[in-house]
Amino acid sequence: MTYVVTENCIKCKFMDCVEVCPVDCFYEGENMLVIHPDECIDCGVCEPECPAEAILPDTEDGVEKMMEVNREYAEKWPNITQKGEQPEDAEEWQGKPNKFADHFSPEPGNS
Ligand code: SF4
Ligand code: F3S
């Protein structure tokens, strides 16, 4: 089992999650983070920290696609261990539909 960052992270990118991860397994894209599934120790402490409720266990229905996104981009994006500045309009993006289809960016973040 692992935890997965799902599409509601996109353009919210609050980054409270990185501060609590004991194994530093978050990786930063331009407008979202992902979890490296082989590094996550399933402790679950990041899940309640996310204001966007974007982090789910991989046992939840419907996370398969984002699981693959987490796996792929954890290999491509830089590791992030400290909370940076969240997007100014982060609150406005909470819960918006179709974020992955409309707003996913494969570009790396600037950690
Ligand atoms: Fe890190 Fe634990 Fe969250 Fe996995 S479940 S990403 S180890 S804080
Ligand atoms: Fe994203 Fe939530 Fe972390 S919005 S950056 S998963 S705190």
Side-chain angles (χ1 to χ4, degrees):
M1 202 186 117
T2 179
Y3 280 74
V4 183
V5 181
T6 62
E7 70 177 333
N8 205 32
C9 178
I10 296 171
K11 286 185 159 287
C12 286
K13 201 183 177 184
F14 289 111
M15 293 175 280
D16 299 88
C17 52
V18 303
E19 293 281 327
V20 298
C21 181
V23 294
D24 294 340
C25 64
F26 282 91
Y27 292 80
E28 185 186 12
E30 183 180 21
N31 63 17
M32 77 172 291
L33 304 189
V34 291
I35 291 170
H36 196 307
D38 297 334
E39 296 175 3
C40 172
I41 59 169
D42 309 334
C43 70
V45 299
C46 58
E47 183 183 7
E49 294 297 322
C50 175
E53 298 183 4
I55 301 175
L56 296 173
D58 69 355
T59 47
E60 288 279 321
D61 285 343
V63 300
E64 294 81 6
K65 182 184 76 177
M66 288 309 292
M67 179 75 222
E68 291 312 309
V69 171
N70 278 237
R71 181 174 289 285
E72 178 178 351
Y73 287 93
E75 297 287 349
K76 295 178 174 167
W77 290 345
N79 188 232
I80 176 170
T81 58
Q82 288 187 324
K83 181 176 163 73
E85 217 166 294
Q86 70 189 46
E88 279 181 19
D89 57 353
E91 303 284 349
E92 293 165 32
W93 285 96
Q94 283 214 47
K96 288 268 166 72
N98 301 320
K99 283 200 202 176
F100 186 80
D102 296 343
H103 301 291
F104 175 74
S105 167
E107 297 303 316
N110 50 18
S111 280

Coordinates of all heavy atoms in Angstrom, one line a residue, residues 1-6 25-26 34-48 54-60 63 66-67 70-71:
M1 N 0.8 -1.2 0.0 CA 0.0 0.0 0.0 C 0.9 1.3 0.0 O 2.0 1.2 0.4 CB -0.9 0.0 1.3 CG -2.1 0.8 1.2 SD -3.0 0.9 2.7 CE -2.8 2.6 3.1
T2 N 0.3 2.3 -0.5 CA 1.0 3.6 -0.5 C -0.1 4.7 -0.5 O -1.3 4.4 -0.6 CB 1.9 3.8 -1.7 OG1 2.5 5.1 -1.7 CG2 1.1 3.7 -3.0
Y3 N 0.3 5.9 -0.3 CA -0.6 7.0 -0.4 C -0.4 7.7 -1.8 O 0.7 7.7 -2.3 CB -0.4 8.0 0.8 CG -1.2 7.5 2.0 CD1 -0.7 6.4 2.7 CD2 -2.4 8.0 2.4 CE1 -1.3 5.9 3.8 CE2 -3.1 7.5 3.5 CZ -2.6 6.5 4.2 OH -3.2 6.0 5.3
V4 N -1.4 8.4 -2.3 CA -1.4 9.0 -3.6 C -1.9 10.4 -3.5 O -2.9 10.7 -2.9 CB -2.4 8.2 -4.5 CG1 -2.3 8.7 -6.0 CG2 -2.1 6.7 -4.5
V5 N -1.1 11.3 -4.3 CA -1.6 12.7 -4.4 C -2.6 12.7 -5.6 O -2.2 12.3 -6.7 CB -0.5 13.7 -4.6 CG1 -1.1 15.1 -4.8 CG2 0.5 13.6 -3.5
T6 N -3.8 13.1 -5.4 CA -4.8 13.0 -6.4 C -5.0 14.4 -7.1 O -4.3 15.4 -6.7 CB -6.2 12.5 -5.9 OG1 -6.6 13.4 -4.9 CG2 -6.0 11.1 -5.3
C25 N 9.3 11.8 0.9 CA 9.0 11.1 -0.4 C 8.1 11.9 -1.3 O 7.5 11.3 -2.2 CB 8.6 9.7 -0.2 SG 7.0 9.5 0.6
F26 N 8.0 13.2 -1.1 CA 7.3 14.1 -2.0 C 8.2 14.7 -3.1 O 9.3 15.0 -2.9 CB 6.6 15.2 -1.3 CG 5.3 14.8 -0.5 CD1 5.4 14.4 0.8 CD2 4.1 14.8 -1.2 CE1 4.3 13.9 1.5 CE2 3.0 14.4 -0.5 CZ 3.1 14.0 0.8
V34 N 3.7 15.0 -6.1 CA 3.4 13.5 -6.1 C 4.2 12.8 -5.0 O 5.2 13.4 -4.5 CB 3.7 12.9 -7.5 CG1 2.8 13.4 -8.6 CG2 5.2 13.1 -7.9
I35 N 3.8 11.6 -4.7 CA 4.4 10.8 -3.7 C 5.1 9.6 -4.4 O 4.5 9.0 -5.3 CB 3.4 10.2 -2.7 CG1 2.8 11.3 -1.8 CG2 4.0 9.1 -1.9 CD1 1.6 10.9 -1.0
H36 N 6.3 9.3 -4.1 CA 7.0 8.2 -4.7 C 6.4 6.9 -4.0 O 6.7 6.7 -2.8 CB 8.5 8.2 -4.5 CG 9.2 7.3 -5.4 ND1 9.0 6.0 -5.4 CD2 10.2 7.5 -6.2 CE1 9.7 5.4 -6.3 NE2 10.5 6.3 -6.8
P37 N 5.8 6.1 -4.7 CA 5.1 4.9 -4.1 C 6.0 3.9 -3.5 O 5.6 3.2 -2.6 CB 4.3 4.3 -5.2 CG 4.9 4.8 -6.5 CD 5.5 6.1 -6.2
D38 N 7.3 3.8 -3.9 CA 8.2 2.9 -3.4 C 8.9 3.4 -2.1 O 9.5 2.7 -1.4 CB 9.3 2.5 -4.4 CG 8.6 1.8 -5.6 OD1 7.5 1.2 -5.4 OD2 9.2 1.8 -6.7
E39 N 8.8 4.7 -1.9 CA 9.5 5.3 -0.7 C 8.5 5.6 0.4 O 8.9 5.6 1.6 CB 10.1 6.7 -1.2 CG 11.3 6.4 -2.2 CD 11.8 7.8 -2.7 OE1 11.4 8.8 -2.2 OE2 12.7 7.7 -3.6
C40 N 7.2 5.8 0.1 CA 6.2 6.0 1.1 C 6.1 4.8 2.0 O 6.0 3.7 1.6 CB 4.9 6.3 0.4 SG 3.4 6.4 1.5
I41 N 6.1 5.1 3.3 CA 6.0 4.0 4.3 C 4.6 3.8 4.9 O 4.4 3.2 5.9 CB 7.0 4.2 5.5 CG1 6.8 5.5 6.2 CG2 8.4 4.1 4.9 CD1 7.6 5.6 7.5
D42 N 3.6 4.5 4.2 CA 2.2 4.3 4.6 C 1.9 4.7 6.0 O 1.0 4.2 6.6 CB 1.8 2.8 4.4 CG 2.1 2.2 3.1 OD1 2.2 3.0 2.1 OD2 2.3 1.0 3.0
C43 N 2.5 5.7 6.5 CA 2.3 6.2 7.9 C 1.0 6.9 8.0 O 0.3 7.0 9.0 CB 3.4 7.0 8.4 SG 3.5 8.7 7.6
G44 N 0.5 7.5 6.9 CA -0.8 8.2 6.8 C -0.8 9.6 7.4 O -1.9 10.2 7.5
V45 N 0.3 10.1 7.9 CA 0.2 11.4 8.6 C 0.0 12.6 7.7 O -0.5 13.6 8.1 CB 1.5 11.7 9.5 CG1 1.6 10.7 10.6 CG2 2.7 11.9 8.7
C46 N 0.3 12.4 6.4 CA 0.1 13.5 5.5 C -1.4 13.7 5.1 O -1.8 14.8 4.7 CB 1.0 13.3 4.2 SG 0.6 11.8 3.3
E47 N -2.1 12.6 5.1 CA -3.5 12.7 4.6 C -4.3 13.8 5.2 O -4.9 14.6 4.5 CB -4.1 11.3 4.7 CG -5.5 11.3 4.2 CD -6.2 9.9 4.4 OE1 -5.7 9.0 5.1 OE2 -7.3 9.7 3.8
P48 N -4.4 13.8 6.6 CA -5.2 14.9 7.2 C -4.6 16.3 7.1 O -5.3 17.3 7.4 CB -5.4 14.4 8.6 CG -4.2 13.6 8.9 CD -3.8 12.9 7.6
A54 N -6.5 16.2 -0.9 CA -6.0 15.6 -2.1 C -5.2 14.3 -2.0 O -4.9 13.6 -2.9 CB -5.1 16.6 -2.9
I55 N -4.9 13.9 -0.7 CA -4.1 12.7 -0.5 C -5.0 11.6 0.0 O -5.7 11.7 0.9 CB -3.0 13.0 0.5 CG1 -2.1 14.1 0.1 CG2 -2.2 11.7 0.8 CD1 -1.0 14.5 1.1
L56 N -4.9 10.5 -0.7 CA -5.7 9.3 -0.4 C -4.9 8.1 -0.4 O -3.9 8.0 -1.1 CB -6.8 9.2 -1.5 CG -7.8 10.3 -1.6 CD1 -8.7 10.0 -2.8 CD2 -8.7 10.4 -0.4
P57 N -5.3 7.0 0.3 CA -4.6 5.8 0.3 C -5.0 5.1 -1.1 O -6.0 5.3 -1.7 CB -5.2 5.0 1.4 CG -6.5 5.6 1.7 CD -6.4 7.1 1.3
D58 N -4.1 4.2 -1.5 CA -4.3 3.6 -2.8 C -5.4 2.6 -2.8 O -5.7 2.0 -3.8 CB -3.0 3.1 -3.4 CG -2.4 1.9 -2.7 OD1 -3.0 1.5 -1.6 OD2 -1.4 1.3 -3.1
T59 N -6.0 2.3 -1.7 CA -7.1 1.4 -1.6 C -8.4 2.1 -1.9 O -9.4 1.4 -2.0 CB -7.2 0.9 -0.1 OG1 -7.1 2.0 0.8 CG2 -6.1 -0.1 0.2
E60 N -8.4 3.4 -2.1 CA -9.6 4.1 -2.5 C -10.0 3.8 -3.9 O -9.1 3.7 -4.8 CB -9.4 5.7 -2.3 CG -9.3 6.2 -0.9 CD -10.7 6.4 -0.3 OE1 -11.6 6.8 -1.0 OE2 -10.8 6.1 0.9
V63 N -8.4 5.8 -7.8 CA -7.1 6.5 -7.7 C -6.1 5.9 -8.7 O -4.9 6.3 -8.7 CB -6.5 6.5 -6.3 CG1 -7.4 7.3 -5.3 CG2 -6.2 5.2 -5.8
M66 N -4.2 8.3 -11.1 CA -3.3 9.2 -10.4 C -2.1 8.4 -9.7 O -1.0 9.0 -9.6 CB -4.0 10.0 -9.4 CG -4.9 11.1 -10.0 SD -4.1 12.1 -11.2 CE -2.9 13.1 -10.2
M67 N -2.3 7.2 -9.4 CA -1.3 6.3 -8.9 C -0.1 6.2 -9.9 O 1.0 6.3 -9.6 CB -1.9 4.9 -8.6 CG -0.9 3.9 -8.1 SD -0.6 4.2 -6.4 CE 1.2 3.9 -6.4
N70 N 1.7 9.5 -10.1 CA 2.6 9.7 -9.0 C 3.9 8.9 -9.2 O 5.0 9.4 -9.1 CB 2.0 9.2 -7.7 CG 1.1 10.2 -7.0 OD1 1.3 10.6 -5.9 ND2 0.1 10.7 -7.7
R71 N 3.7 7.6 -9.7 CA 4.9 6.8 -10.0 C 5.8 7.4 -11.0 O 7.0 7.5 -10.9 CB 4.5 5.4 -10.3 CG 5.6 4.4 -10.6 CD 5.1 3.0 -10.8 NE 4.6 2.4 -9.6 CZ 5.4 1.9 -8.6 NH1 6.7 2.0 -8.7 NH2 4.8 1.3 -7.6

